Amino acid sequence: HASELDFSCGGEVTRLPLLARPTAVAASEHFVVVTSAVGHTHRVFPLASGAPAAAEAVTIENDGPFFGAAISERADGSIIVASGGIEDHPLDRRGGSFGYIDSFVFIDVIERGRAQRLAAVDVGELGVITPKALAIRESAQGLRVDATSYGASAAVRIDLPLAAGSQPESHRTPGAPGLSMLAVDAQGALVGVSPLLDALERGLTPREAIESALVGDEGSGVRQIHVVDRQGRTAAWTGKNCVEWAGHKSADGFSVAGNMLRGAGVVEETF
Protein backbone atom coordinates (compact mmCIF):
# COMPACT_ATOMS: atom_id res chain seq x y z
CA HIS A 1 0.00 0.00 0.00
CA ALA A 2 2.98 2.33 0.45
CA SER A 3 4.63 4.37 -2.28
CA GLU A 4 7.70 2.18 -2.33
CA LEU A 5 9.08 -0.97 -3.93
CA ASP A 6 10.58 -3.69 -1.76
CA PHE A 7 13.35 -5.37 -3.78
CA SER A 8 15.00 -8.53 -2.48
CA CYS A 9 18.32 -9.82 -3.82
CA GLY A 10 20.44 -12.43 -2.04
CA GLY A 11 18.35 -12.14 1.11
CA GLU A 12 18.85 -8.38 1.44
CA VAL A 13 15.76 -6.20 1.08
CA THR A 14 16.04 -2.72 -0.44
CA ARG A 15 13.15 -0.26 0.00
CA LEU A 16 12.95 2.04 -3.00
CA PRO A 17 10.81 5.21 -2.65
CA LEU A 18 8.40 5.83 -5.54
CA LEU A 19 6.34 8.79 -6.70
CA ALA A 20 3.08 6.86 -6.38
CA ARG A 21 1.86 3.48 -5.17
CA PRO A 22 3.06 0.59 -7.38
CA THR A 23 0.47 -1.75 -8.86
CA ALA A 24 2.52 -3.97 -11.21
CA VAL A 25 6.15 -4.93 -11.83
CA ALA A 26 7.86 -6.37 -14.92
CA ALA A 27 11.52 -7.14 -15.42
CA SER A 28 14.15 -8.04 -18.00
CA GLU A 29 17.73 -9.16 -17.39
CA HIS A 30 19.07 -5.69 -16.62
CA PHE A 31 15.98 -3.52 -16.00
CA VAL A 32 12.79 -3.44 -13.95
CA VAL A 33 9.68 -1.38 -14.75
CA VAL A 34 7.28 -0.40 -11.97
CA THR A 35 3.73 0.59 -12.93
CA SER A 36 1.55 2.93 -10.89
CA ALA A 37 -2.09 3.00 -12.03
CA VAL A 38 -2.97 5.90 -9.72
CA GLY A 39 0.21 7.79 -10.57
CA HIS A 40 -0.25 7.27 -14.33
CA THR A 41 3.45 6.35 -14.64
CA HIS A 42 5.97 3.67 -15.42
CA ARG A 43 9.35 4.00 -13.70
CA VAL A 44 12.10 2.09 -15.51
CA PHE A 45 15.11 1.31 -13.31
CA PRO A 46 18.44 -0.12 -14.48
CA LEU A 47 19.78 -2.83 -12.18
CA ALA A 48 23.15 -2.15 -10.57
CA SER A 49 24.69 -4.98 -8.52
CA GLY A 50 21.29 -6.65 -8.51
CA ALA A 51 19.33 -3.66 -7.17
CA PRO A 52 17.41 -0.84 -8.92
CA ALA A 53 19.46 2.32 -9.47
CA ALA A 54 17.01 5.08 -8.56
CA ALA A 55 19.24 7.93 -9.78
CA GLU A 56 19.16 6.58 -13.35
CA ALA A 57 15.43 5.81 -13.55
CA VAL A 58 13.39 6.97 -16.55
CA THR A 59 9.71 7.90 -16.17
CA ILE A 60 7.02 7.25 -18.80
CA GLU A 61 3.90 9.33 -18.11
CA ASN A 62 0.33 9.17 -19.30
CA ASP A 63 -2.75 11.32 -18.68
CA GLY A 64 -4.76 8.17 -17.95
CA PRO A 65 -4.01 5.09 -15.82
CA PHE A 66 -1.56 2.40 -16.87
CA PHE A 67 -2.62 -1.22 -16.17
CA GLY A 68 0.53 -3.20 -16.93
CA ALA A 69 3.71 -3.35 -18.98
CA ALA A 70 6.24 -5.59 -20.68
CA ILE A 71 9.89 -4.73 -21.21
CA SER A 72 12.48 -5.94 -23.73
CA GLU A 73 16.16 -5.13 -24.18
CA ARG A 74 17.47 -4.68 -27.70
CA ALA A 75 20.92 -5.47 -29.08
CA ASP A 76 21.67 -1.77 -29.67
CA GLY A 77 21.24 -1.01 -25.95
CA SER A 78 17.81 0.59 -26.21
CA ILE A 79 14.79 -0.62 -24.25
CA ILE A 80 11.27 -1.25 -25.51
CA VAL A 81 8.38 -0.81 -23.09
CA ALA A 82 4.89 -1.90 -24.18
CA SER A 83 2.07 -0.88 -21.89
CA GLY A 84 -1.69 -1.09 -21.63
CA GLY A 85 -3.76 1.77 -20.31
CA ILE A 86 -6.34 4.44 -20.93
CA GLU A 87 -5.92 6.94 -23.77
CA ASP A 88 -3.41 9.74 -23.17
CA HIS A 89 -6.00 12.36 -22.28
CA PRO A 90 -7.13 13.80 -18.90
CA LEU A 91 -10.11 11.93 -17.46
CA ASP A 92 -13.20 14.15 -17.41
CA ARG A 93 -16.18 13.57 -15.10
CA ARG A 94 -17.98 16.87 -15.64
CA GLY A 95 -20.77 15.07 -17.47
CA GLY A 96 -21.40 12.77 -14.51
CA SER A 97 -19.33 9.87 -15.85
CA PHE A 98 -15.80 9.41 -17.15
CA GLY A 99 -15.02 10.55 -20.68
CA TYR A 100 -11.92 9.64 -22.71
CA ILE A 101 -11.65 6.04 -21.52
CA ASP A 102 -10.76 4.07 -24.66
CA SER A 103 -8.25 1.31 -23.97
CA PHE A 104 -4.87 1.78 -25.65
CA VAL A 105 -1.58 -0.07 -26.06
CA PHE A 106 1.48 2.18 -26.07
CA ILE A 107 4.95 1.31 -27.35
CA ASP A 108 7.87 3.43 -26.11
CA VAL A 109 11.62 3.23 -26.66
CA ILE A 110 14.18 4.38 -24.11
CA GLU A 111 17.50 5.56 -25.49
CA ARG A 112 20.23 7.54 -23.73
CA GLY A 113 18.05 8.04 -20.68
CA ARG A 114 15.01 9.43 -22.51
CA ALA A 115 11.69 7.85 -23.46
CA GLN A 116 10.07 8.38 -26.85
CA ARG A 117 6.67 7.09 -27.95
CA LEU A 118 6.76 4.90 -31.06
CA ALA A 119 3.06 4.04 -31.29
CA ALA A 120 -0.32 4.43 -29.57
CA VAL A 121 -2.98 1.95 -30.71
CA ASP A 122 -6.68 2.20 -29.80
CA VAL A 123 -7.33 -1.44 -28.95
CA GLY A 124 -10.76 -0.68 -27.49
CA GLU A 125 -11.97 -0.46 -31.09
CA LEU A 126 -11.05 -4.15 -31.40
CA GLY A 127 -12.93 -5.15 -28.26
CA VAL A 128 -9.82 -5.34 -26.07
CA ILE A 129 -10.84 -3.75 -22.75
CA THR A 130 -8.31 -3.04 -19.99
CA PRO A 131 -5.17 -4.46 -21.66
CA LYS A 132 -3.18 -5.64 -18.65
CA ALA A 133 -1.04 -8.58 -19.75
CA LEU A 134 1.47 -7.90 -22.54
CA ALA A 135 4.40 -9.60 -24.25
CA ILE A 136 7.05 -8.30 -26.67
CA ARG A 137 8.86 -10.20 -29.40
CA GLU A 138 11.41 -8.82 -31.83
CA SER A 139 12.46 -10.00 -35.27
CA ALA A 140 14.47 -8.61 -38.16
CA GLN A 141 11.25 -7.06 -39.48
CA GLY A 142 10.30 -5.20 -36.30
CA LEU A 143 8.42 -5.52 -33.04
CA ARG A 144 5.43 -7.69 -32.23
CA VAL A 145 3.34 -6.86 -29.17
CA ASP A 146 0.55 -9.10 -27.88
CA ALA A 147 -1.91 -7.80 -25.29
CA THR A 148 -4.91 -9.49 -23.71
CA SER A 149 -8.17 -7.95 -22.57
CA TYR A 150 -8.62 -8.26 -18.81
CA GLY A 151 -12.32 -7.57 -19.19
CA ALA A 152 -13.22 -9.62 -22.28
CA SER A 153 -12.34 -12.77 -24.23
CA ALA A 154 -10.19 -10.92 -26.72
CA ALA A 155 -6.58 -10.06 -27.45
CA VAL A 156 -4.70 -7.92 -29.93
CA ARG A 157 -1.51 -8.44 -31.94
CA ILE A 158 0.41 -5.34 -32.99
CA ASP A 159 3.23 -5.45 -35.53
CA LEU A 160 5.45 -2.37 -35.72
CA PRO A 161 8.15 -2.25 -38.44
CA LEU A 162 11.30 -0.53 -37.22
CA ALA A 163 11.79 1.50 -40.39
CA ALA A 164 11.41 5.25 -39.89
CA GLY A 165 7.87 6.48 -40.48
CA SER A 166 6.32 3.02 -40.30
CA GLN A 167 2.82 2.65 -38.87
CA PRO A 168 1.67 -0.19 -36.61
CA GLU A 169 -0.65 -2.88 -37.92
CA SER A 170 -3.05 -4.41 -35.42
CA HIS A 171 -5.69 -7.13 -35.49
CA ARG A 172 -7.85 -8.92 -32.96
CA THR A 173 -6.86 -12.43 -31.86
CA PRO A 174 -8.48 -15.00 -29.50
CA GLY A 175 -7.85 -14.38 -25.82
CA ALA A 176 -8.86 -15.32 -22.29
CA PRO A 177 -10.19 -12.76 -19.82
CA GLY A 178 -8.56 -12.07 -16.47
CA LEU A 179 -4.91 -12.66 -17.43
CA SER A 180 -2.50 -10.73 -15.24
CA MET A 181 0.70 -11.61 -17.12
CA LEU A 182 1.92 -12.96 -20.47
CA ALA A 183 5.20 -14.70 -21.18
CA VAL A 184 6.83 -16.22 -24.26
CA ASP A 185 8.07 -19.81 -23.82
CA ALA A 186 11.10 -21.42 -25.44
CA GLN A 187 9.05 -22.42 -28.50
CA GLY A 188 7.78 -18.85 -28.98
CA ALA A 189 4.26 -19.59 -27.75
CA LEU A 190 2.38 -17.24 -25.41
CA VAL A 191 1.67 -18.40 -21.86
CA GLY A 192 -0.92 -16.54 -19.77
CA VAL A 193 -1.20 -16.31 -15.99
CA SER A 194 -4.49 -16.06 -14.08
CA PRO A 195 -4.99 -17.40 -10.54
CA LEU A 196 -8.78 -17.28 -11.01
CA LEU A 197 -8.81 -19.27 -14.25
CA ASP A 198 -6.34 -21.76 -12.78
CA ALA A 199 -8.66 -22.27 -9.81
CA LEU A 200 -11.70 -22.81 -12.05
CA GLU A 201 -9.74 -25.31 -14.15
CA ARG A 202 -8.98 -27.22 -10.93
CA GLY A 203 -12.73 -27.58 -10.40
CA LEU A 204 -13.27 -24.91 -7.76
CA THR A 205 -16.53 -22.97 -7.70
CA PRO A 206 -16.44 -19.21 -8.44
CA ARG A 207 -16.66 -18.49 -4.68
CA GLU A 208 -13.83 -20.88 -3.92
CA ALA A 209 -11.76 -19.47 -6.80
CA ILE A 210 -12.04 -15.94 -5.41
CA GLU A 211 -11.20 -17.12 -1.90
CA SER A 212 -8.10 -18.96 -3.18
CA ALA A 213 -6.93 -15.90 -5.14
CA LEU A 214 -7.25 -13.67 -2.06
CA VAL A 215 -5.29 -15.93 0.30
CA GLY A 216 -2.26 -14.01 1.53
CA ASP A 217 -3.15 -10.97 -0.60
CA GLU A 218 -2.32 -7.88 1.43
CA GLY A 219 -4.18 -5.77 -1.13
CA SER A 220 -7.47 -7.66 -0.82
CA GLY A 221 -9.14 -4.62 0.74
CA VAL A 222 -8.83 -2.67 -2.52
CA ARG A 223 -9.68 -5.56 -4.85
CA GLN A 224 -12.94 -5.93 -6.70
CA ILE A 225 -13.51 -9.29 -8.38
CA HIS A 226 -16.48 -10.98 -9.99
CA VAL A 227 -16.51 -14.35 -11.68
CA VAL A 228 -18.94 -16.18 -13.96
CA ASP A 229 -17.99 -19.76 -14.81
CA ARG A 230 -19.03 -22.00 -17.72
CA GLN A 231 -22.10 -23.20 -15.84
CA GLY A 232 -23.25 -19.64 -15.21
CA ARG A 233 -22.44 -19.78 -11.50
CA THR A 234 -21.35 -16.43 -10.09
CA ALA A 235 -19.51 -14.96 -7.14
CA ALA A 236 -18.12 -11.52 -6.34
CA TRP A 237 -15.90 -9.68 -3.89
CA THR A 238 -15.68 -5.98 -3.06
CA GLY A 239 -12.88 -5.05 -0.66
CA LYS A 240 -13.74 -2.83 2.27
CA ASN A 241 -11.20 -0.22 1.17
CA CYS A 242 -12.46 0.22 -2.41
CA VAL A 243 -13.28 3.81 -3.32
CA GLU A 244 -16.88 4.63 -2.34
CA TRP A 245 -19.44 3.96 -3.46
CA ALA A 246 -18.39 0.40 -4.19
CA GLY A 247 -20.36 -2.81 -4.35
CA HIS A 248 -21.69 -5.65 -6.48
CA LYS A 249 -24.75 -7.76 -7.23
CA SER A 250 -24.83 -11.14 -8.93
CA ALA A 251 -27.34 -13.57 -10.39
CA ASP A 252 -27.14 -16.73 -12.48
CA GLY A 253 -25.10 -15.99 -15.59
CA PHE A 254 -24.07 -12.40 -14.90
CA SER A 255 -22.62 -10.03 -12.34
CA VAL A 256 -22.52 -6.25 -11.94
CA ALA A 257 -19.86 -4.41 -9.91
CA GLY A 258 -18.52 -0.90 -9.65
CA ASN A 259 -16.59 1.58 -7.56
CA MET A 260 -16.35 5.37 -7.42
CA LEU A 261 -20.11 5.33 -8.09
CA ARG A 262 -22.78 7.81 -7.03
CA GLY A 263 -24.49 5.13 -4.97
CA ALA A 264 -25.91 1.62 -4.83
CA GLY A 265 -28.65 2.64 -7.24
CA VAL A 266 -26.19 2.64 -10.13
CA VAL A 267 -25.56 -1.09 -9.71
CA GLU A 268 -29.26 -1.77 -9.10
CA GLU A 269 -30.35 0.05 -12.26
CA THR A 270 -27.64 -1.67 -14.32
CA PHE A 271 -28.65 -5.03 -12.88
Side-chain angles (χ1 to χ4, degrees):
H1 302 292
S3 294
E4 65 180 22
L5 174 69
D6 291 351
F7 192 88
S8 177
C9 182
E12 182 177 348
V13 177
T14 301
R15 298 187 185 280
L16 185 67
L18 298 171
L19 299 176
R21 189 170 63 198
T23 50
V25 177
S28 61
E29 184 177 0
H30 301 106
F31 292 86
V32 59
V33 54
V34 182
T35 300
S36 173
V38 295
H40 300 183
T41 59
H42 296 307
R43 291 275 283 170
V44 183
F45 299 89
L47 298 177
S49 301
E56 301 175 42
V58 176
T59 300
I60 299 173
E61 297 180 296
N62 194 48
D63 258 330
F66 282 127
F67 304 126
I71 185 170
S72 178
E73 301 177 38
R74 301 182 63 207
D76 62 4
S78 62
I79 309 157
I80 299 296
V81 177
S83 53
I86 298 298
E87 59 187 290
D88 195 7
H89 195 292
L91 295 176
D92 186 349
R93 293 194 70 176
R94 287 174 295 181
S97 60
F98 278 126
Y100 305 110
I101 56 170
D102 280 0
S103 291
F104 268 69
V105 167
F106 305 100
I107 304 174
D108 294 270
V109 61
I110 298 176
E111 296 178 292
R112 294 181 291 277
R114 298 185 63 182
Q116 178 183 355
R117 182 142 295 169
L118 297 179
V121 180
D122 187 345
V123 297
E125 295 181 337
L126 300 173
V128 176
I129 310 301
T130 316
K132 187 174 183 180
L134 304 100
I136 305 171
R137 286 174 281 188
E138 186 174 357
S139 67
Q141 290 71 41
L143 299 171
R144 169 166 288 178
V145 175
D146 289 280
T148 62
S149 173
Y150 198 76
S153 298
V156 63
R157 174 161 290 172
I158 302 169
D159 290 303
L160 178 63
L162 293 178
S166 297
Q167 297 298 313
E169 297 182 0
S170 57
H171 64 275
R172 177 170 168 154
T173 58
L179 297 185
S180 56
M181 184 174 293
L182 276 181
V184 182
D185 69 11
Q187 287 72 45
L190 293 173
V191 179
V193 176
S194 170
L196 288 170
L197 290 179
D198 287 347
L200 293 174
E201 284 294 321
R202 295 198 307 271
L204 273 63
T205 67
R207 173 62 58 191
E208 292 168 339
I210 291 176
E211 291 173 351
S212 70
L214 293 175
V215 170
D217 181 5
E218 296 181 358
S220 61
V222 296
R223 306 281 187 222
Q224 193 165 41
I225 308 168
H226 47 163
V227 176
V228 181
D229 72 4
R230 292 171 179 169
Q231 288 76 46
R233 297 175 298 181
T234 62
W237 163 272
T238 298
K240 62 181 180 180
N241 298 321
C242 290
V243 180
E244 294 289 348
W245 186 90
H248 60 265
K249 186 174 182 179
S250 301
D252 290 344
F254 68 98
S255 178
V256 178
N259 58 76
M260 300 178 68
L261 301 178
R262 186 168 295 171
V266 177
V267 168
E268 290 290 341
E269 291 178 19
T270 306
F271 195 84

Coordinates of all heavy atoms in Angstrom, one line a residue, residues 1 5 14 39 57 60 65 74 93 98 105-106 111 125 182 188 198 212 227 229 235 260 270:
H1 N 0.8 -1.2 0.0 CA 0.0 0.0 0.0 C 0.9 1.3 0.0 O 0.4 2.3 -0.3 CB -0.9 0.0 1.2 CG -1.8 -1.2 1.3 ND1 -2.8 -1.4 0.4 CD2 -1.8 -2.3 2.1 CE1 -3.4 -2.5 0.7 NE2 -2.9 -3.1 1.7
L5 N 8.9 0.4 -3.4 CA 9.1 -1.0 -3.9 C 10.1 -1.7 -3.0 O 11.2 -1.2 -2.8 CB 9.6 -0.9 -5.4 CG 10.0 -2.2 -6.0 CD1 8.8 -3.1 -6.3 CD2 10.8 -2.0 -7.3
T14 N 15.9 -4.2 -0.2 CA 16.0 -2.7 -0.4 C 14.7 -2.1 -0.6 O 13.8 -2.6 -1.4 CB 16.9 -2.5 -1.7 OG1 18.2 -3.1 -1.6 CG2 17.1 -1.0 -1.9
G39 N -0.8 6.7 -10.2 CA 0.2 7.8 -10.6 C 0.4 8.0 -12.1 O 1.0 9.0 -12.5
A57 N 16.8 6.2 -13.1 CA 15.4 5.8 -13.6 C 14.9 6.8 -14.6 O 15.1 8.0 -14.6 CB 14.5 5.7 -12.4
I60 N 8.0 7.2 -17.7 CA 7.0 7.3 -18.8 C 5.7 7.7 -18.2 O 5.1 7.0 -17.3 CB 6.9 5.9 -19.5 CG1 8.2 5.5 -20.1 CG2 5.9 6.0 -20.7 CD1 8.3 4.1 -20.7
P65 N -4.7 6.2 -16.5 CA -4.0 5.1 -15.8 C -3.3 4.1 -16.7 O -3.7 3.8 -17.9 CB -5.2 4.4 -15.1 CG -6.3 5.4 -15.1 CD -6.1 6.2 -16.3
R74 N 17.1 -4.5 -26.3 CA 17.5 -4.7 -27.7 C 19.0 -4.7 -27.8 O 19.7 -4.3 -26.9 CB 16.9 -3.6 -28.6 CG 15.4 -3.5 -28.6 CD 14.9 -2.4 -29.5 NE 15.3 -2.7 -30.9 CZ 15.4 -1.7 -31.8 NH1 15.3 -0.5 -31.5 NH2 15.7 -2.1 -33.0
R93 N -14.9 14.0 -15.7 CA -16.2 13.6 -15.1 C -17.2 14.7 -15.0 O -18.2 14.5 -14.3 CB -15.9 13.0 -13.7 CG -15.1 11.8 -13.7 CD -15.2 11.1 -12.3 NE -16.5 10.5 -12.0 CZ -16.8 9.8 -11.0 NH1 -15.9 9.6 -10.0 NH2 -18.0 9.3 -10.8
F98 N -17.1 9.2 -16.5 CA -15.8 9.4 -17.2 C -15.9 9.5 -18.7 O -16.6 8.7 -19.3 CB -14.8 8.3 -16.8 CG -14.2 8.4 -15.5 CD1 -14.2 7.4 -14.6 CD2 -13.5 9.6 -15.1 CE1 -13.6 7.5 -13.3 CE2 -12.9 9.7 -13.9 CZ -12.9 8.7 -13.0
V105 N -2.9 0.5 -26.3 CA -1.6 -0.1 -26.1 C -0.6 0.9 -26.6 O -0.7 1.4 -27.7 CB -1.4 -1.4 -26.8 CG1 0.0 -1.9 -26.8 CG2 -2.3 -2.5 -26.1
F106 N 0.4 1.2 -25.7 CA 1.5 2.2 -26.1 C 2.8 1.4 -26.2 O 3.1 0.5 -25.5 CB 1.6 3.2 -25.0 CG 0.3 4.0 -24.7 CD1 -0.4 3.7 -23.6 CD2 -0.1 5.0 -25.5 CE1 -1.6 4.3 -23.3 CE2 -1.3 5.7 -25.2 CZ -2.0 5.4 -24.1
E111 N 16.1 5.5 -25.0 CA 17.5 5.6 -25.5 C 18.2 6.7 -24.8 O 17.6 7.8 -24.7 CB 17.5 5.8 -27.0 CG 16.9 4.7 -27.8 CD 16.9 5.0 -29.3 OE1 16.2 5.9 -29.7 OE2 17.7 4.3 -30.0
E125 N -11.2 -0.3 -29.8 CA -12.0 -0.5 -31.1 C -12.0 -1.9 -31.5 O -12.9 -2.3 -32.3 CB -11.3 0.4 -32.2 CG -11.4 1.9 -31.9 CD -10.8 2.7 -33.1 OE1 -9.9 2.1 -33.8 OE2 -11.1 3.9 -33.2
L182 N 1.6 -12.1 -19.3 CA 1.9 -13.0 -20.5 C 3.4 -13.2 -20.5 O 4.2 -12.3 -20.1 CB 1.5 -12.3 -21.8 CG 0.1 -12.4 -22.3 CD1 -0.1 -11.6 -23.6 CD2 -0.4 -13.8 -22.4
G188 N 8.4 -20.1 -28.4 CA 7.8 -18.9 -29.0 C 6.3 -18.7 -28.8 O 5.7 -17.8 -29.3
D198 N -7.0 -20.5 -13.2 CA -6.3 -21.8 -12.8 C -7.2 -22.5 -11.7 O -7.4 -23.7 -11.8 CB -5.0 -21.4 -12.2 CG -3.9 -21.1 -13.2 OD1 -4.2 -21.3 -14.4 OD2 -2.9 -20.6 -12.8
S212 N -9.5 -18.5 -3.0 CA -8.1 -19.0 -3.2 C -7.2 -17.9 -3.7 O -6.0 -17.8 -3.3 CB -8.1 -20.2 -4.1 OG -8.4 -19.8 -5.5
V227 N -16.8 -13.2 -10.9 CA -16.5 -14.4 -11.7 C -17.8 -15.0 -12.1 O -18.8 -15.2 -11.3 CB -15.7 -15.4 -10.9 CG1 -15.5 -16.6 -11.7 CG2 -14.3 -14.8 -10.5
D229 N -18.6 -18.6 -14.2 CA -18.0 -19.8 -14.8 C -18.8 -20.3 -16.0 O -19.8 -19.7 -16.4 CB -17.7 -20.8 -13.7 CG -19.0 -21.5 -13.2 OD1 -20.1 -21.3 -13.8 OD2 -18.8 -22.4 -12.3
A235 N -19.9 -15.4 -8.5 CA -19.5 -15.0 -7.1 C -18.8 -13.6 -7.3 O -18.3 -13.3 -8.4 CB -18.6 -16.0 -6.5
M260 N -16.3 3.9 -7.1 CA -16.4 5.4 -7.4 C -17.7 5.8 -8.0 O -17.8 6.6 -8.9 CB -15.2 5.8 -8.3 CG -13.8 5.5 -7.8 SD -12.5 5.9 -8.9 CE -12.6 7.7 -8.9
T270 N -28.4 -0.9 -13.3 CA -27.6 -1.7 -14.3 C -28.1 -3.1 -14.3 O -28.2 -3.8 -15.3 CB -26.1 -1.6 -14.1 OG1 -25.7 -0.2 -14.1 CG2 -25.4 -2.3 -15.2

